[in-house]
Amino acid sequence: MSFKLTILGCNSAVPTVERHPTAQLLNANERFFLIDCGEGTQVRLKEFQLNFQRINHIFISHLHGDHYFGLIGLISSMHLLGRNKDLHIYAHQELKSIIDLQLSAANTELNYPLFFHPISETNEQVLYEDEKISISNIILNHTIKCSGFIFKEKKSPRKIINVRIEEYNIPFDKYNGIKKGADWISDTGEIIKNNEITVENTPVHSYAFCTDTAYNEALIDKIRGFDLLYHEATFKKDLADRAKETGHSTTYEAATMAKKSAVKNLLIGHFSQRYKILDELLIEAKDTFRNTLLAESGLELDFNKLPS
Ligand SMILES: [Zn+2]
Ligand SMILES: [Zn+2]
């Protein structure tokens, strides 16, 4: 299925003119999931012609402002533009009273239902699930409670090869069982193995969003082999002590995490505003993990075209 990630913002605490605070949009088969919502996210969505009314689920990693200061603006614009369908927000509990206070101070009663789903700070669990995708939180290691998110497409049933349907005269009512793995018994009693009449369906995609966090080897088994890991790299490797103090990671640590967890691709972001040019961060990360990309505002990654 289609699986595309658009970077809306990639900077850490302080925005710059070119680089905005964290926000990403994941389009999984035309389901739109917003991940973090830093200041100005709604403007970025407009800039990249992404219709924010199509977003039904918003995931907020933690309550440092660079990850959610754009949320009330987005909630408010959705209201002003006549939204009436449900909006679901997944975040730590404290965010609910912040939103409630902001709305009540403005005497705003939303025209649409807003559902708040608190994220546990101690348990990792499925937050959202449908027939195509499941989304879970993972616990990160930051200066305040912080959650990463894991997006996993569910395995599609196998696809029946058309010419085999004709060859073996397979009736329609048997398709479902065969797609789920059943063998076929031909008219002459011959058992035709499932892998002779079906092929794997489109690949199953996986994405791990890990910001903000210090280097944390507990993540390795949770993200092993993923198609794409977004891992923060706030600092260059010479500032490893500063990274540790502030609950962040360096380029080297992000790349080491990618290497140890054998993900296919690494996307680094959450850059400190001290870095005017990001090439050196990319070079440092690539030294340890070759398939590294830089998160930049407007970057769109199609998982069907990523190196695998
Ligand atoms: Zn941050
Ligand atoms: Zn933070």
Side-chain angles (χ1 to χ4, degrees):
M1 74 181 189
S2 65
F3 211 87
K4 285 181 191 161
L5 182 73
T6 304
I7 304 303
L8 304 165
C10 58
N11 235 28
S12 61
V14 181
T16 64
V17 174
E18 300 83 23
R19 302 205 305 258
H20 312 288
T22 305
Q24 305 184 356
L25 186 71
L26 182 71
N27 171 357
N29 206 28
E30 301 305 304
R31 290 161 168 81
F32 291 84
F33 302 102
L34 183 66
I35 313 163
D36 277 348
C37 189
E39 193 180 337
T41 295
Q42 59 173 321
V43 183
R44 301 284 88 69
L45 287 161
K46 284 198 171 211
E47 183 183 349
F48 304 126
Q49 295 174 355
L50 299 162
N51 178 355
F52 58 62
Q53 298 291 24
R54 296 189 70 188
I55 297 167
N56 295 335
H57 302 273
I58 301 177
F59 298 82
I60 302 292
S61 61
H62 68 301
L63 296 187
H64 281 151
D66 53 320
H67 297 261
Y68 83 98
F69 279 173
L71 185 61
I72 192 66
L74 180 63
I75 289 173
S76 172
S77 296
M78 285 173 163
H79 163 77
L80 293 171
L81 294 171
R83 183 185 180 103
N84 50 31
K85 62 178 177 171
D86 300 354
L87 179 69
H88 296 265
I89 295 176
Y90 306 79
H92 294 110
Q93 182 65 47
E94 292 79 357
L95 183 59
K96 177 156 188 334
S97 39
I98 296 171
I99 296 169
D100 288 346
L101 176 66
Q102 287 173 313
L103 292 174
S104 78
N107 203 17
T108 299
E109 205 165 303
L110 296 175
N111 338 316
Y112 60 90
L114 190 151
F115 296 95
F116 188 88
H117 306 268
I119 296 177
S120 165
E121 62 180 296
T122 48
N123 291 329
E124 296 179 341
Q125 52 208 166
V126 174
L127 303 174
Y128 171 85
E129 186 169 32
D130 61 28
E131 72 283 6
K132 298 272 188 197
I133 193 167
S134 95
I135 304 170
S136 314
N137 65 308
I138 45 173
I139 294 164
L140 301 180
N141 180 11
H142 193 36
T143 51
I144 60 171
K145 58 188 171 187
C146 185
S147 172
F149 301 107
I150 279 181
F151 298 78
K152 269 192 195 166
E153 186 186 341
K154 290 186 180 172
K155 209 167 163 51
S156 308
R158 292 177 70 84
K159 219 164 154 174
I160 307 180
I161 305 165
N162 272 337
V163 289
R164 298 285 180 268
I165 295 176
E166 286 167 32
E167 186 181 346
Y168 294 112
N169 207 12
I170 302 171
F172 182 73
D173 65 343
K174 299 293 179 197
Y175 287 9
N176 259 343
I178 290 173
K179 284 180 184 174
K180 286 179 187 154
D183 295 334
W184 170 247
I185 301 170
S186 74
D187 299 341
T188 58
E190 185 192 354
I191 296 173
I192 315 295
K193 288 280 176 210
N194 186 273
N195 61 11
E196 291 175 37
I197 47 177
T198 64
V199 285
E200 276 281 348
N201 218 322
T202 47
V204 173
H205 302 107
S206 49
Y207 175 51
F209 172 88
C210 297
T211 195
D212 296 358
T213 189
Y215 180 74
N216 175 13
E217 293 210 336
L219 294 179
I220 293 172
D221 282 337
K222 298 169 193 170
I223 59 174
R224 191 179 297 282
F226 270 39
D227 291 330
L228 180 67
L229 164 65
Y230 174 79
H231 196 290
E232 70 133 288
T234 306
F235 300 108
K236 282 168 62 176
K237 65 181 177 188
D238 60 330
L239 290 184
D241 290 344
R242 176 92 184 119
K244 210 169 187 178
E245 263 166 47
T246 53
H248 288 298
S249 302
T250 64
T251 48
Y252 173 71
E253 289 168 327
T256 302
M257 181 57 58
K259 193 174 176 182
K260 290 196 173 182
S261 55
V263 295
K264 294 173 186 132
N265 299 279
L266 168 67
L267 178 64
I268 53 171
H270 199 266
F271 309 115
S272 164
Q273 48 95 29
R274 77 191 66 210
Y275 303 118
K276 306 295 171 231
I277 297 167
L278 299 174
D279 291 0
E280 286 179 25
L281 284 89
L282 182 62
I283 291 166
E284 277 191 6
K286 279 187 163 216
D287 248 4
T288 301
F289 189 80
R290 203 164 57 90
N291 281 3
T292 304
L293 298 157
L294 274 183
E296 286 173 295
S297 225
L299 173 73
E300 188 188 82
L301 293 174
D302 182 341
F303 280 55
N304 286 316
K305 293 179 185 158
L306 284 175
S308 56

